[in-house]
Amino acid sequence: MTHIHRWSQKPAGQVLLATLLFCFIFITLFIGLFKSGLLFSAKERAIQAANLTALSAGAVYANGMQVVRLSNAIVFAIALGSVALLATGIGSVLEISSLLLGFNPFDVVKAAQNVQKLLFGIDEPSGLYPLLIFTETLSLTSQNGLKNTWPSLAPSTWQTPISVPSPLMLFNVASIGPETLKAVVPNMALKFRDGSFLAVPKIPKLYQMNDQGKIRIYTENQVEPAKNSRGATYWVKAGYVGAHRYVSEIKNAATDKANKIATIFSTLSAMKLDVIDRDAPPLHNIFFYAAYPTTAKDPNGKNAEIQTLSQVMVTGSGLEFWKVSDPPYITTLASTDPIELVKQSGFTSFMQNLLQGGNLQNLQDLFKEAPGGII
Amino acid sequence: MALFKLTHKFRGQALTEMVLVIPLLTLMLAGVIQLTLLFQARVVFDKACGDVAREYAAGTVNDSNAFSDEFWVRLGPYQKYFIRNSLSVGTQNPKPSLIDTIVQKIDSAGPIAQKLKGFVINYGGKAWTITINYSLPFSPTFILPNGISFQNQVTVLRYPA
């Protein structure tokens, strides 16, 4: 020890020590530069991989929107055919057959709408097409080098406890409402249009009473069927002026006609027409959250992963059957730095809480709070 | 003799140390610069691959030639660090998914079924493999004469296919 101490006091020793220190600094700098370079390069690849996979999900989604248009056209053609059958002579034959065999041409429309319901997951948690979007995206995830921890269909590969799988997709989360968890289930944000937009409000009935020369008018809520009727069928409810005095309904031919029309339209409002967007204005988007594995080690000695988030929006002119020849739906990528977004929005903790239940923050609020948020 | 005198003085000693250290320092600095440029080039390469794949998804790039040309343009000022002749772009279909199995069954069902399929499933994609050599700047040609090979594979679907 004393020997080394003495040697380090000599110029040669000092030079060697300085050289060693110098080399140490440079090697550290080199390793740091190499590691950060590798991670920076991995970050770029993670962004590209997530963007391309999200765009692919959007492409399948956009194709689905055109399928919705086509299905609307088919249902409309079937409905038109049914109406035409009933209107022509064949209609009477079908009417007889419907009486004898229980066949109704409009049952075909209902059956077609049931197929739409099953295919697109309308009024259901999910459907066949949304599941197709999910499986196609999952297939692309692995091919783009992103982590895929979803269990295969074979039950032998399933593990407990269930951890948050990667990647995760959130479908139309902004308009899903307070139950954010539902957004994890593939959906296309669609609904059936009913005839409620045709509904005409009924004109309320009015009742009158001659009160010593003054005409008093009462509404439907203020009168009740008379319990001791002497000709008139209604009297004024207790608590109003002239309680239990008889009133007569004000008859008006125009009001009657309007109310009859309103009754017909209220029947129509219960009918399903075509498939439309669930939200107004329409919103179709997918958040794609994935992890990109790297060879670099994190402080715990595990392989570091880069978490990234992409958002695609699917937009078009509408789903009505007459828009079947309109330009196809297009997919647009949100231009936000995904790494920053994940960091700012607390997305990771959101995901960790997702399957644990309780303490689940609303994702919508998280994005709104995030500076440069994309919602 | 003069050198001997010089090295036995304080000034001489410092100069000798400098002479010994400067080549090492220069070498290391050059290494740092080369490494920085290498990673920068790699990032530019990966970004260009992803951007051109997005162009494909948008329908503005359709084949390997167009992909190569667009990729080269996307390298921008970094073109000088890459060897143009070494650029190769290969394509293949993405790995078959569940829908591909169904589609194959429809294809075998006949031409009418194929036409119907065309109406319903109109998305498709490609897996692009891009390879190019990076030449070390400011270095003699005998060090890695063919440069360093970069490769990336990107897969994307587009609609309409």
Side-chain angles (χ1 to χ4, degrees):
Chain A
M1 194 70 189
T2 337
H3 181 71
I4 295 169
H5 180 72
R6 262 190 224 149
W7 178 76
S8 67
Q9 299 293 314
K10 289 179 183 170
Q14 282 178 348
V15 167
L16 192 70
L17 276 177
T19 311
L20 279 175
L21 185 68
F22 174 77
C23 286
F24 172 75
I25 291 167
F26 252 90
I27 287 165
T28 312
L29 181 75
F30 240 80
I31 291 170
L33 187 72
F34 185 74
K35 283 186 101 173
S36 59
L38 275 183
L39 280 172
F40 191 72
S41 168
K43 175 193 160 182
E44 188 55 44
R45 279 202 295 278
I47 293 171
Q48 294 296 344
N51 282 348
L52 293 178
T53 313
L55 272 174
S56 303
V60 186
Y61 199 127
N63 181 80
M65 300 307 263
Q66 185 64 19
V67 178
V68 172
R69 281 174 173 171
L70 281 168
S71 74
N72 275 341
I74 291 167
V75 170
F76 177 74
I78 293 169
L80 208 66
S82 304
V83 170
L85 278 177
L86 288 174
T88 58
I90 310 161
S92 57
V93 177
L94 286 171
E95 212 170 308
I96 297 160
S97 72
S98 73
L99 285 169
L100 296 173
L101 307 167
F103 171 78
N104 182 343
F106 280 104
D107 284 347
V108 185
V109 178
K110 278 185 188 165
Q113 285 178 331
N114 282 339
V115 172
Q116 282 184 310
K117 194 176 167 181
L118 182 76
L119 191 60
F120 306 115
I122 306 162
D123 303 328
E124 303 285 342
S126 192
L128 290 173
Y129 201 90
L131 286 173
L132 172 71
I133 300 171
F134 181 76
T135 51
E136 286 284 27
T137 313
L138 221 55
S139 166
L140 265 281
T141 301
S142 315
Q143 291 181 59
N144 278 326
L146 294 164
K147 191 176 160 188
N148 181 359
T149 58
W150 280 87
S152 70
L153 290 173
S156 57
T157 59
W158 298 352
Q159 287 179 341
T160 48
I162 302 166
S163 57
V164 180
S166 179
L168 268 176
M169 278 170 269
L170 298 177
F171 292 82
N172 308 302
V173 70
S175 61
I176 206 98
E179 293 173 78
T180 317
L181 200 62
K182 277 186 181 175
V184 180
V185 182
N187 68 81
M188 290 174 76
L190 301 170
K191 68 173 183 184
F192 278 112
R193 189 206 319 255
D194 55 29
S196 59
F197 65 94
L198 297 167
V200 179
K202 279 190 177 181
I203 299 166
K205 285 180 181 175
L206 294 173
Y207 301 84
Q208 68 176 5
M209 178 180 70
N210 191 335
D211 183 12
Q212 294 173 343
K214 284 182 184 171
I215 302 294
R216 292 187 184 276
I217 307 289
Y218 295 92
T219 60
E220 242 174 320
N221 301 331
Q222 293 169 324
V223 299
E224 60 185 356
K227 284 165 192 164
N228 187 19
S229 174
R230 286 178 301 176
T233 49
Y234 292 94
W235 69 19
V236 180
K237 277 182 186 175
Y240 293 100
V241 179
H244 290 168
R245 285 184 61 190
Y246 296 103
V247 286
S248 56
E249 191 184 335
I250 302 171
K251 293 273 182 184
N252 183 324
T255 311
D256 283 354
K257 273 186 185 173
N259 281 347
K260 274 180 190 168
I261 292 166
T263 312
I264 294 165
F265 279 122
S266 71
T267 317
L268 277 175
S269 71
M271 278 178 66
K272 284 177 187 168
L273 300 174
D274 60 345
V275 179
I276 54 165
D277 303 297
R278 185 185 64 197
D279 311 303
L283 177 88
H284 299 281
N285 69 351
I286 303 174
F287 280 97
F288 180 75
Y289 172 72
Y292 186 84
T294 67
T295 49
K297 301 280 179 193
D298 68 6
N300 299 323
K302 288 179 184 173
N303 276 7
E305 284 174 356
I306 294 174
Q307 291 167 340
T308 182
L309 182 67
S310 290
Q311 185 202 12
V312 282
M313 285 161 287
V314 180
T315 47
S317 60
L319 294 168
E320 289 80 6
F321 71 87
W322 61 86
K323 290 175 180 168
V324 78
S325 57
D326 273 17
Y329 271 72
I330 55 162
T331 309
T332 321
L333 198 69
S335 56
T336 312
D337 183 353
I339 308 289
E340 278 303 303
L341 190 66
V342 172
K343 210 162 63 184
Q344 289 164 357
S345 65
F347 204 88
T348 317
S349 61
F350 168 80
M351 287 301 169
Q352 291 301 325
N353 290 329
L354 198 65
L355 287 186
Q356 289 167 8
N359 193 26
L360 193 68
Q361 290 167 286
N362 192 332
L363 184 70
Q364 213 175 326
D365 294 339
L366 286 171
F367 281 123
K368 274 178 184 164
E369 281 168 21
I374 49 179
I375 287 181
Chain B
M1 196 64 193
L3 185 69
F4 181 80
K5 276 182 186 170
L6 191 69
T7 53
H8 279 72
K9 286 179 184 171
F10 270 122
R11 273 182 66 195
Q13 188 183 346
L15 190 67
T16 316
E17 282 170 12
M18 276 292 282
V19 166
L20 285 170
V21 166
I22 276 177
L24 192 68
L25 185 72
T26 314
L27 202 67
M28 284 180 165
L29 263 175
V32 167
I33 291 165
Q34 287 288 4
L35 203 64
T36 311
L37 284 171
L38 178 75
F39 280 122
Q40 211 169 7
R42 179 73 213 197
V43 169
V44 170
F45 167 76
D46 287 330
K47 194 172 183 322
C49 292
D51 286 351
V52 187
R54 280 172 66 178
E55 292 274 352
Y56 166 75
T60 50
V61 164
N62 293 309
D63 55 24
S64 299
N65 288 336
F67 196 107
S68 300
D69 294 342
E70 187 62 31
F71 171 81
W72 188 250
V73 171
R74 295 261 171 184
L75 289 178
Y78 287 84
Q79 282 175 355
K80 59 187 173 199
Y81 300 139
F82 291 95
I83 303 163
R84 176 76 166 100
N85 298 336
S86 66
L87 173 63
S88 79
V89 176
T91 58
Q92 59 192 66
N93 291 328
K95 283 178 192 165
S97 61
L98 184 69
I99 194 71
D100 292 315
T101 320
I102 299 165
V103 164
Q104 277 170 8
K105 296 234 162 144
I106 296 170
D107 282 343
S108 59
I112 299 167
Q114 277 180 29
K115 278 203 166 180
L116 264 173
K117 184 205 81 183
F119 271 116
V120 179
I121 298 162
N122 197 16
Y123 67 86
K126 275 179 183 169
W128 303 89
T129 308
I130 308 104
T131 313
I132 195 166
N133 287 357
Y134 166 77
S135 62
L136 293 171
F138 322 115
S139 63
T141 45
F142 64 85
I143 304 172
L144 297 166
N146 294 325
I148 298 166
S149 181
F150 286 170
Q151 194 179 54
N152 195 356
Q153 186 174 359
V154 285
T155 312
V156 69
L157 300 180
R158 72 174 178 181
Y159 170 76

